[in-house]
Every structure is written in structure tokens, then in C-alpha cells.
């Protein structure tokens, strides 16, 4: 069994800083759709802070991109459980490990949303597919790649 580097442990701090924030019509997580891919009729924006705006160069209309976000609008109680009841299992008494689900309630509040780019104007990326609340910090934007983001067939 391998061991983590001496400086890495459960109490280690990994520095992250947002590159921008999301603008949507949703004020609370309970109001937002559960997945961006289920809500391509909803539109949002990522406002990228000026020092990072040059990173939007080359992103084209119609592209799909991954938004990596910090799901800031959750209580410590919501992010603590390691065993959860997934959507569709409510009332069944069954639970599963949080890492086997897509729940936004996670110890590290990292969100992953696949959105479709409508356009980029200056430092603002307009997109379809909203599952985030207004003001959600954006940590990174990465292009979706069907060859890299889709598992190989028959393997």
C-alpha cells in the first residue's frame, strides 16, 4: 500500500481561488435543477474576473464546457454525511456512500456542470444548462471532449 506524502493528510489545506462567479435566476440550491444536462432551457452566465478573462479566448458558441464550481450555499450539516439517500430512493430506508452519488452535498463542495456555450462577450460566458445558484464561485472552465470524457466502447 502506498502512503500519502508527509504533508498530505485529512486536515491538509489545498489553496483554491475563484476565477469568477455564476449568474442565474436561482437563489437556493433546492430551487435549481439537479443536473445542468436536464436544464438546457435555462440560461446563465459566468462572469470571469478580469485577470483571468484572457482564458476565455478560443471558446466558441455551441461548445460544451465543464464548469468546476465551489458549492458555497450549503451548511456544514448538509456536507458532513458520508452515507446519503440518493434521488429516487427517498422513503426506502436505503443509503449509499456519498462518492457513489451525484449529490451536491459533499465534504469538498466541488461542483461539476456540463453546460453549452451560447456566446462569449468580453469576460462573460453565456451558457445553457443551469444547475447552480446565483453567485456560485467558479474554480475552472474546461472544454468537454467526446474522445476524452466518454469511456471507450467494449472495454
Amino acid at each position: 500500500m502506498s502512503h500519502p506524502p508527509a504533508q498530505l493528510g485529512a486536515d491538509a489545506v489545498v489553496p483554491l481561488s475563484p476565477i469568477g462567479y455564476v449568474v442565474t435566476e436561482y437563489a437556493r440550491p433546492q430551487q435549481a435543477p439537479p443536473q445542468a444536462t436536464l436544464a438546457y432551457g435555462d440560461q446563465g452566465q459566468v462572469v470571469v474576473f478580469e485577470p483571468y478573462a484572457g482564458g476565455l479566448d478560443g471558446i466558441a458558441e455551441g461548445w460544451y464546457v465543464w464548469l468546476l464550481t465551489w458549492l458555497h450555499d450549503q451548511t456544514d450539516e448538509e456536507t458532513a454525511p458520508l452515507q446519503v439517500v440518493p434521488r429516487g430512493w427517498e422513503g426506502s430506508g436505503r443509503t449509499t456512500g456519498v462518492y457513489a452519488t451525484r449529490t451536491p452535498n459533499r465534504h469538498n463542495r466541488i461542483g461539476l456542470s456540463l453546460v453549452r456555450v451560447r456566446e462569449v462577450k468580453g469576460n462573460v460566458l453565456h451558457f445553457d444548462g443551469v444547475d447552480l445558484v446565483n453567485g456560485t464561485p467558479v474554480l475552472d472552465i474546461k472544454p468537454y471532449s467526446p474522445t476524452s470524457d466518454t469511456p471507450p466502447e467494449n472495454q
Side-chain angles (χ1 to χ4, degrees):
M1 180 186 325
S2 62
H3 297 283
Q7 71 276 14
L8 187 61
D11 60 349
V13 175
V14 178
L16 295 172
S17 60
I19 63 166
Y21 59 93
V22 172
V23 177
T24 73
E25 296 182 8
Y26 298 106
R28 296 283 307 137
Q30 296 79 4
Q31 299 169 331
Q35 296 291 316
T37 54
L38 300 176
Y40 282 141
D42 289 354
Q43 298 176 349
Q45 301 171 0
V46 174
V47 178
V48 176
F49 299 134
E50 285 301 329
Y52 306 109
L56 293 172
D57 186 38
I59 295 178
E61 178 182 332
W63 277 27
Y64 288 88
V65 295
W66 293 106
L67 301 181
L68 283 85
T69 58
W70 188 257
L71 303 176
H72 68 294
D73 198 10
Q74 299 167 349
T75 66
D76 289 342
E77 292 79 24
E78 289 173 318
T79 61
L82 294 177
Q83 294 287 311
V84 298
V85 178
R87 286 186 191 102
W89 290 13
E90 297 91 348
S92 71
R94 295 173 52 202
T95 63
T96 191
V98 68
Y99 307 129
T101 73
R102 298 292 297 254
T103 181
N105 300 329
R106 315 178 85 74
H107 172 73
N108 286 318
R109 301 167 186 203
I110 297 172
L112 181 66
S113 300
L114 183 61
V115 302
R116 182 175 47 222
V117 176
R118 287 183 30 245
E119 66 180 333
V120 176
K121 282 188 174 178
N123 68 319
V124 181
L125 184 150
H126 299 260
F127 66 89
D128 298 324
V130 176
D131 63 352
L132 299 164
V133 300
N134 193 54
T136 299
V138 175
L139 302 174
D140 205 351
I141 301 169
K142 295 182 181 277
Y144 169 82
S145 167
T147 55
S148 298
D149 293 338
T150 305
E153 293 287 326
N154 302 321
Q155 289 193 14

